[in-house]
Amino acid sequence: MITKKVSKKDIRKLLGTWNQECNVIVPSRVDGVVGMAAWDNQDISFLDWYRNTVIPPKSCFLPKSEVMMSFKKNENGYNLEVPTNEHWQVIFGVRPCDARANAIIDHVFAVTYDDYYYISKRRNTLLVGLSCTNPYDSCFCTSSNIDPTESEYVDLMFTDIGDDFVIEDFTGGGKALLNMSNTLKKVTKADIDKIKEVKAASVSKIKKTVDTENADRKLGSLFNDTDYWERISAKCISCGICTFLCPTCFCFDINDEMIRKQGARYRGWDSCSFRSYTRMPMENPREEKWRRVRQRVCHKFEFFPMNLGINACVGCGRCIRSCPVNWDITQVIAGLPAEAGIKSGK
Amino acid sequence: MEKELRDQAAKLLEEGTVDYIVGFASGTLKHTTTPLITGDKDETSSLVINPFISNNLATYALEISGRLGIVAKGCDSRSIVSLIQDKQITRQDIVILGIPCSGLIDLKKVEKLAGKERDEIDEVVVVADKVVITVGSEKQEVPAAAVLFDHCIGCELQIPQEYDFLIQGPAVEIRNSEASREKIKELKQMSPDQRWSYWKQQFNRCIRCYACRQVCPACFCERCFVEESQPRWVSPVSQWQDNLIFQAIRAIHVAGRCTDCGECERVCPVDIPLRSLSKEMYDLVGEMFNYKSGMNAGAPPLMTAYELTEVESLIR
C-alpha cells in the first residue's frame, strides 16, 4: 500500500542508510554494459539514464559462473569448502518484468527443488522495484499481463512522480527498510492523483503487443510441424544471447576445475540454443537447429503454462534487443495461427 | 537499387535458378534489419538495401542446403569467396547478388553522439558523405565517417569483386584506414602490463554466448575446440582466463579467412572490442604474407600454401 514518498534528492541518503546495514545493489554501467552491481555509496546518476539492465537481475542469484565448492587434496581424501551467503542485500531498481521473472525462477530453484546456492542468495535479498516509465520499443510486458508500474513480487515499489518517488510497501521486509529511514515524507491526495496519472501514461508507452492467448494450445498442435519450425528457425544463428539474457532462462552446467590437487566445482549458465547442450551426460536430443528453437519457444509458452499455469516470458524484450539477427519471439507467437495479430507501434 | 534487387531475386526464384534467396528485410525494431531467407518469390518484395544491413549473410551459405542467391556487400562477398577457397561451398551453388555499399551505420556511435538510445532516435539518414540524426525536433548533421562502423571506414571493397549480378548504385568511398585502426593504436600505446589488465577486464564480462563465433562465416568448424571435452582445451566456465584464450585462439584460427566484416564486435552483447584482435590479425596477414582474404576464389587458402619468398623470421 502507498504510505510514503521520498524526495529524489534524498535518494542518496536513503540508499546510504540501507547500505550501512546490508549491501545495496543498483543499476550500474560497468565498462559500458548495464547490470546490477554493488553501489559505491555515492553515485545515483542511474536515476537519469537507467531504463533496464542488459544482464538480467537473475544474475544476482544465478550468476554466469559461481563456485559450488572448493576442494583440496589431503592425506585422507579431500577438504571440501562450500561457500556461504550470510550477508543481506537490497537490489534497488528492479523492473516489474524482472521481478515477475525472479518469481518464475523461484519455482525452479526454491519450490520444486531446494537449491542451496540459489536460495542462500535469494532469501537474504530484498527487492526494491522501480516503475518503468521509459520502456524500449522492444518491450511487450503488457502482453504477459504485467503492468510496468506494478508488481506483487517486490518488497517495495518506487514510482517517479516528478520531484519525488511514491513508495508502495508490500512485505514486512519492505516496511523494515522504510522504518530505517528518517528522510521519508507522507503522501498527499495530490500525490495519489499524480501516481495514477503516471501509471496510466506508462502503460500506454508499451507499444509492442502480442496476443499470447491460447499460445500453449497452438504450440501443442504445431509441435510436430517440422516445416513450420524449420522456416521459423532459418535465420537463427544458435548463439546463446537470448537465453543468457533472458530473465527466466535458468539452464546451467556444472564443471570441475582442478590444478595441482586443488580446485573448485563451478556452476555456470548453459543454453538450449547450443548444439553442444547436454552433450556431457549423453547426446543433445536437439541436434537440428529447429528443434532447439522450438524448445525455447515451447518452454516459455507451452511447457511452463502446462506445469505452472504461467507464461515464462515476461516481455522484457532483451532477446529481441540483443539478437544479432532480430529474431523476434513476438512475431513467432503472433504468427502461430493466421488470425493472430501483432501490433507494433513503430 | 532495391527495385532492381527485388526484380532480380524474384526472377532467380521464378526461373528455378536458385532454391532460396538470402537477403535483408526491415527489422521489427527501429533502425534494424533482419536476414530474409525465402523460397517464395512474392516475399522478395520485402528485400531492402539501407545503411543498417549489418549481417554477413555468407554465414547462411554454410548451413542451408540447395542453391542460394545471396545478397552480398563487398565484405560479405569476400567471405563467400573465402568459403569457396576453403571448399566449404561450391561456386556453382551460389548466385551472388552483389550490392554496392558506402558503409553501414554503427548505432552505438549514433547513440553516443545523440545522447539517446536507439529507439529514442527518430531518424538516421545518410546524405552523401553526411549523416543526419533526428531526435524530436532536433537535427544533428555529422560526417558519415563519424557514425560508420570502424571496419566500414577502412573498407577495401565497396563494390563486390566476385558476383553474378551487380546491382547498380552509388558507392561512396569513405576510406580512412588510419581511423579504422584507432582502437588498435590506442592498445598498442599501452604498456604490456596495461594491455594485459585491459584485456583481463574486457574478458571478465564475457558471458560465453558464442555469438561472435556463430555470426562469423570464417568460423565453420563442425566441432569447435572450445567444446571439445576429450581432451578439454578450454574450460567452459566463464572466467576471464578461459574467455581470453577462447578468443585469442579464435582470432588466430580465422587469420587468412577473416574479411574484417566486423560482425563479431557488433553482435557482442557485452561490448568487447573483438575487432581489435581480428583486424590486427588481418593486417598482420597482409604484412607477412601479402595476402588479402576472399579476394581470389582460385587462390589456395593462405594456411595451405607456401611461397619461397615468405618471411621466416621465426623459423631459421
Side-chain angles (χ1 to χ4, degrees):
Chain A
M1 72 185 258
I2 302 175
T3 46
K4 295 276 169 34
K5 65 176 179 178
V6 59
S7 166
K8 275 185 181 168
K9 60 177 174 34
D10 288 334
I11 286 287
R12 185 179 285 118
K13 209 168 151 193
L14 179 64
L15 294 181
T17 307
W18 295 343
N19 212 24
Q20 285 172 3
E21 303 292 327
C22 48
N23 296 340
V24 173
I25 313 287
V26 298
S28 311
R29 221 180 242 142
V30 182
D31 296 322
V33 180
V34 184
M36 288 292 180
W39 186 48
D40 66 357
N41 216 24
Q42 188 59 40
D43 185 12
I44 53 160
S45 64
F46 63 85
L47 291 176
D48 299 324
W49 56 258
Y50 171 60
R51 298 175 74 192
N52 205 351
T53 57
V54 172
I55 309 292
K58 74 173 178 189
S59 63
C60 297
F61 315 117
L62 183 69
K64 65 167 183 162
S65 71
E66 67 182 315
V67 172
M68 302 179 83
M69 64 173 98
S70 46
F71 43 80
K72 192 173 184 178
K73 196 162 173 49
N74 60 28
E75 290 147 19
N76 308 317
Y78 284 91
N79 285 333
L80 297 183
E81 214 175 295
V82 177
T84 53
N85 273 293
E86 296 306 327
H87 61 267
W88 279 79
Q89 59 181 0
V90 170
I91 307 179
F92 183 88
V94 178
R95 297 301 187 189
C97 53
D98 292 335
R100 158 93 70 90
N102 287 335
I104 288 171
I105 301 195
D106 285 348
H107 273 288
V108 181
F109 291 105
V111 179
T112 53
Y113 180 75
D114 283 345
D115 182 88
Y116 167 80
Y117 303 95
Y118 182 89
I119 293 174
S120 66
K121 291 185 267 290
R122 184 75 164 99
R123 70 173 172 212
N124 294 347
T125 302
L126 292 169
L127 298 177
V128 179
L130 193 56
S131 284
C132 202
T133 50
N134 185 15
Y136 294 95
D137 60 349
S138 40
C139 293
F140 58 102
C141 64
T142 50
S143 299
S144 296
N145 297 320
I146 292 173
D147 183 316
T149 63
E150 281 177 19
S151 181
E152 54 189 295
Y153 305 108
V154 292
D155 297 282
L156 293 174
M157 187 75 192
F158 280 47
T159 301
D160 187 341
I161 56 161
D163 295 332
D164 302 297
F165 284 107
V166 167
I167 307 171
E168 293 165 84
D169 65 66
F170 298 105
T171 64
K175 282 189 177 69
L177 282 179
L178 294 185
N179 289 338
M180 283 162 68
S181 170
N182 54 15
T183 52
L184 307 177
K185 297 180 287 186
K186 278 209 170 91
V187 285
T188 63
K189 170 83 176 53
D191 296 332
I192 302 287
D193 292 341
K194 182 75 188 161
I195 197 172
K196 279 182 191 151
E197 217 174 277
V198 170
K199 285 187 175 215
S202 299
V203 171
S204 70
K205 282 181 193 165
I206 305 283
K207 303 289 190 200
K208 199 176 181 73
T209 58
V210 58
D211 182 9
T212 56
E213 189 75 31
N214 296 324
D216 53 343
R217 205 170 40 78
K218 294 170 192 165
L219 284 166
S221 63
L222 263 175
F223 194 78
N224 290 314
D225 190 340
T226 311
D227 288 347
Y228 175 81
W229 290 109
E230 277 185 343
R231 193 159 42 80
I232 290 298
S233 65
K235 68 183 175 187
C236 169
I237 54 159
S238 297
C239 75
I241 291 181
C242 52
T243 50
F244 284 180
L245 301 189
C246 175
T248 71
C249 271
F250 53 81
C251 283
F252 59 80
D253 185 25
I254 293 173
N255 282 281
D256 289 352
E257 299 288 327
M258 184 150 88
I259 301 171
R260 290 187 200 96
K261 294 180 181 168
Q262 59 176 314
R265 171 163 295 177
Y266 291 90
R267 162 157 97 177
W269 294 343
D270 200 354
S271 168
C272 62
S273 303
F274 295 154
R275 216 171 67 176
S276 61
Y277 182 73
T278 68
R279 214 174 64 187
M280 195 268 282
M282 51 165 295
E283 285 299 310
N284 187 349
R286 298 184 279 268
E287 180 68 25
E288 301 97 331
K289 182 170 74 177
W290 63 268
R291 291 183 193 270
R292 301 196 294 272
V293 169
R294 180 182 68 181
Q295 167 64 19
R296 185 167 81 89
V297 177
C298 290
H299 200 187
K300 302 285 176 218
F301 289 98
E302 186 188 354
F303 310 152
F304 245 91
M306 204 193 296
N307 294 327
L308 297 163
I310 188 170
N311 281 344
C313 171
V314 294
C316 72
R318 284 183 181 89
C319 58
I320 311 173
R321 279 197 292 285
S322 292
C323 178
V325 298
N326 183 234
W327 196 94
D328 188 329
I329 198 160
T330 62
Q331 272 191 320
V332 176
I333 296 302
L336 285 178
E339 70 272 14
I342 178 166
K343 291 163 272 168
S344 179
K346 204 174 64 170
Chain B
M1 280 207 289
E2 274 174 357
K3 171 145 189 357
E4 196 188 341
L5 175 67
R6 289 168 185 172
D7 291 348
Q8 191 59 58
K11 201 170 147 214
L12 287 172
L13 283 173
E14 201 161 27
E15 291 169 349
T17 316
V18 299
D19 300 312
Y20 298 100
I21 288 289
V22 184
F24 298 94
S26 294
T28 60
L29 304 177
K30 262 188 191 171
H31 319 304
T32 64
T33 63
T34 186
L36 174 74
I37 301 166
T38 183
D40 177 356
K41 75 172 169 50
D42 293 336
E43 283 190 14
T44 55
S45 61
S46 5
L47 287 169
V48 298
I49 301 175
N50 63 39
F52 302 105
I53 49 171
S54 315
N55 295 87
N56 185 338
L57 302 177
T59 195
Y60 293 109
L62 288 160
E63 64 168 67
I64 303 173
S65 49
R67 285 161 305 161
L68 302 184
I70 301 187
V71 177
K73 310 178 288 281
C75 46
D76 315 341
S77 76
R78 292 179 63 183
S79 295
I80 294 171
V81 167
S82 182
L83 289 171
I84 294 167
Q85 284 178 271
D86 280 317
K87 299 198 169 23
Q88 297 301 306
I89 53 176
T90 40
R91 183 67 184 88
Q92 291 71 30
D93 290 340
I94 305 282
V95 173
I96 302 175
L97 292 156
I99 53 171
C101 177
S102 305
L104 304 174
I105 302 276
D106 182 347
L107 287 166
K108 281 175 192 151
K109 288 186 183 172
V110 176
E111 287 178 332
K112 216 169 180 182
L113 276 173
K116 292 278 175 195
E117 292 196 61
R118 177 193 49 76
D119 61 326
E120 300 171 304
I121 297 163
D122 295 315
E123 261 187 353
V124 186
V125 181
V126 182
V127 186
D129 58 348
K130 297 266 195 301
V131 170
V132 182
I133 305 166
T134 311
V135 181
S137 57
E138 290 198 15
K139 276 190 196 301
Q140 191 181 354
E141 192 183 270
V142 297
V147 289
L148 295 182
F149 282 105
D150 282 352
H151 66 271
C152 294
I153 306 171
C155 178
E156 294 173 283
L157 200 65
Q158 288 83 13
I159 295 170
Q161 210 172 44
E162 178 86 21
Y163 56 81
D164 297 282
F165 299 96
L166 181 66
I167 308 303
Q168 297 302 315
V172 185
E173 199 171 312
I174 313 167
R175 189 182 301 179
N176 189 341
S177 52
E178 275 306 298
S180 171
R181 282 180 56 83
E182 204 60 52
K183 183 81 205 167
I184 298 172
K185 254 195 308 196
E186 232 174 78
L187 288 167
K188 286 199 164 175
Q189 276 160 6
M190 292 180 185
S191 70
D193 280 351
Q194 283 174 323
R195 201 155 55 228
W196 184 241
S197 56
Y198 172 84
W199 283 115
K200 179 178 167 180
Q201 195 183 340
Q202 301 301 308
F203 283 109
N204 201 29
R205 64 174 187 272
C206 168
I207 56 172
R208 289 286 274 278
C209 66
Y210 300 120
C212 48
R213 179 189 71 186
Q214 296 302 106
V215 287
C216 179
C219 262
F220 54 70
C221 289
E222 269 294 300
R223 295 167 69 183
C224 179
F225 73 95
V226 82
E227 276 144 8
E228 287 294 299
S229 53
Q230 291 174 328
R232 203 173 75 177
W233 306 104
V234 180
S235 165
V237 179
S238 172
Q239 288 180 303
W240 73 267
Q241 298 93 328
D242 292 283
N243 302 344
L244 187 149
I245 288 171
F246 158 57
Q247 207 53 244
I249 296 181
R250 205 184 77 82
I252 295 166
H253 265 187
V254 298
R257 297 192 191 100
C258 169
T259 60
D260 194 24
C261 74
E263 275 290 272
C264 49
E265 181 165 316
R266 179 189 69 91
V267 303
C268 181
V270 293
D271 295 347
I272 301 173
L274 296 172
R275 181 179 169 268
S276 311
L277 299 174
S278 60
K279 170 66 171 163
E280 177 65 2
M281 290 304 297
Y282 177 93
D283 286 344
L284 279 173
V285 162
E287 207 176 285
M288 295 169 73
F289 306 105
N290 190 29
Y291 183 88
K292 289 207 183 298
S293 40
M295 288 296 208
N296 179 0
L302 175 71
M303 295 301 165
T304 67
Y306 175 70
E307 299 282 339
L308 284 173
T309 52
E310 278 172 16
V311 193
E312 281 195 15
S313 56
L314 287 172
I315 311 159
R316 285 173 211 272

